[in-house]
Amino acid sequence: QQQVKQSPQSLIVQKGGISIINCAYENTAFDYFPWYQQFPGKGPALLIAIRPDVSEKKEGRFTISFNKSAKQFSLHIMDSQPGDSATYFCAASIGSGGGADGLTFGKGTHLIIQP
Amino acid sequence: DTAVSQTPKYLVTQMGNDKSIKCEQNLGHDTMYWYKQDSKKFLKIMFSYNNKELIINETVPNRFSPKSPDKAHLNLHINSLELGDSAVYFCASSALSGGQETQYFGPGTRLLVL
């Protein structure tokens, strides 16, 4: 059972464009939704995270939009740059984001920003 | 100044062997984890551990066992390696701060079983 579904699997965006990655979850107990960025040969690194008490969170060029009723959340990368090319994972967890169950990850989106 | 480190970075071994992967964190975190990333890049938690409790994902074979000699280390022992164990294994650690528990990942250990 895949509890966090992520799409698209791969995405190509022109430099300066907006990259959008979507995730949907099934477990209504999830209350912490981070996005991780992974470069080739490296471990995932936290990019931005949101809790369901807000509908949007913005940090620089990165924005999470959250729709609790639809059980969906998305990552928007504004003014996408070649350096943003990486694999992006959405994740979800119960509670603060750690502890017993860890993070449940989506399957990842391979993002390529073309110069 | 590495936060979460793993050794070795690459591990190539024969089927049936027993191997260990070491993980160390210098962040003072209380909780550590092991994740497995398969060839399709799917990340799945295997274990979470703090100094009081080990939580095992029920899908993890008992050939895998975490060992924590102290709070800063969580090593992964794998017995009777199988071809399907080939993957990248990530160690992570976390601590609660500002209401959320950010997990910091190590660089990964690429295991290839022949």
Side-chain angles (χ1 to χ4, degrees):
Chain A
Q1 179 187 7
Q2 184 188 349
Q3 295 194 55
V4 180
K5 294 183 179 179
Q6 183 172 346
S7 63
Q9 190 173 9
S10 60
L11 179 63
I12 300 174
V13 175
Q14 295 295 315
K15 179 182 175 182
I18 303 174
S19 304
I20 302 174
I21 305 171
N22 301 300
C23 283
Y25 62 98
E26 299 169 2
N27 187 346
T28 54
F30 286 145
D31 60 358
Y32 174 67
F33 303 90
W35 284 88
Y36 278 77
Q37 180 188 56
Q38 184 179 26
F39 292 106
K42 304 292 185 182
L46 179 68
L47 189 62
I48 187 172
I50 197 169
R51 291 201 175 275
D53 53 342
V54 296
S55 60
E56 186 174 281
K57 183 174 182 180
K58 185 176 181 180
E59 290 184 1
R61 296 184 294 110
F62 300 92
T63 300
I64 300 179
S65 296
F66 186 82
N67 185 328
K68 187 174 181 179
S69 60
K71 293 188 287 185
Q72 294 175 347
F73 58 111
S74 60
L75 176 69
H76 294 236
I77 306 174
M78 311 301 287
D79 187 27
S80 299
Q81 299 297 311
D84 297 330
S85 297
T87 299
Y88 292 81
F89 294 93
C90 61
S93 71
I94 300 169
S96 60
D101 296 319
L103 294 166
T104 299
F105 283 91
K107 291 195 170 184
T109 296
H110 184 210
L111 174 65
I112 297 173
I113 307 300
Q114 290 186 335
Chain B
D1 59 348
T2 303
V4 182
S5 60
Q6 296 178 228
T7 54
K9 187 172 183 179
Y10 297 96
L11 183 55
V12 181
T13 187
Q14 297 290 325
M15 205 166 48
N17 284 350
D18 302 337
K19 291 293 179 184
S20 295
I21 305 172
K22 295 184 178 181
C23 177
E24 176 181 3
Q25 54 97 2
N26 61 5
L27 298 167
H29 289 170
D30 293 323
T31 307
M32 297 183 73
Y33 311 80
W34 278 103
Y35 286 84
K36 179 181 180 180
Q37 186 172 45
D38 63 23
S39 58
K40 296 183 178 180
K41 289 192 171 293
F42 184 44
L43 269 165
K44 191 170 183 179
I45 189 165
M46 302 176 69
F47 306 99
S48 67
Y49 184 83
N50 62 26
N51 55 9
K52 297 178 183 178
E53 188 176 19
L54 169 67
I55 303 296
I56 302 172
N57 185 307
E58 61 186 10
T59 66
V60 175
N62 57 15
R63 298 181 295 103
F64 291 78
S65 57
K67 298 281 195 304
S68 181
D70 55 59
K71 186 178 164 182
H73 296 83
L74 183 66
N75 303 324
L76 182 64
H77 297 271
I78 315 170
N79 294 325
S80 302
L81 278 156
E82 300 178 357
L83 296 177
D85 297 333
S86 296
V88 182
Y89 292 85
F90 287 99
C91 176
S93 70
S94 70
L96 189 61
S97 175
Q100 69 181 43
E101 197 152 340
T102 301
Q103 293 192 21
Y104 294 85
F105 284 77
T109 295
R110 285 138 191 87
L111 171 65
L112 178 60
V113 181
L114 302 175

